Amino acid sequence: MNLPDDEGLELAGRDEAHTEAIVTAGEMLRESGRKFLHGDVWEMCVTVEAGKTVCRLRFSAEDCG
């Protein structure tokens, strides 16, 4: 599933973009709860307005119980 953010944020630079990505990813994972434990890989790509990727975060989890 692809959920693009067409609005985005205007940030001061790469460090601020990295921090915002980590905080946002954490909030999204927390909100998903146990639904995230299905073994799927979830990825967040942070890009500048011109389309260049600034960073990419990848997460996966599975319930091994």
Side-chain angles (χ1 to χ4, degrees):
M1 177 185 290
N2 187 6
L3 302 170
D5 176 3
D6 296 328
E7 293 179 27
L9 297 172
E10 189 169 324
L11 303 170
R14 293 175 68 88
D15 288 342
E16 192 175 3
H18 295 159
T19 300
E20 184 65 28
I22 292 166
V23 169
T24 300
E27 291 170 355
M28 293 174 77
L29 291 170
R30 185 173 36 260
E31 289 173 9
S32 73
R34 293 187 52 80
K35 292 183 278 184
F36 184 66
L37 295 172
H38 292 276
D40 296 328
V41 175
W42 179 72
E43 181 175 276
M44 175 187 281
C45 293
V46 179
T47 59
V48 295
E49 191 172 8
K52 180 180 177 189
T53 300
V54 173
C55 70
R56 181 176 291 121
L57 305 174
R58 290 187 189 114
F59 303 92
S60 67
E62 58 185 279
D63 186 354
C64 298

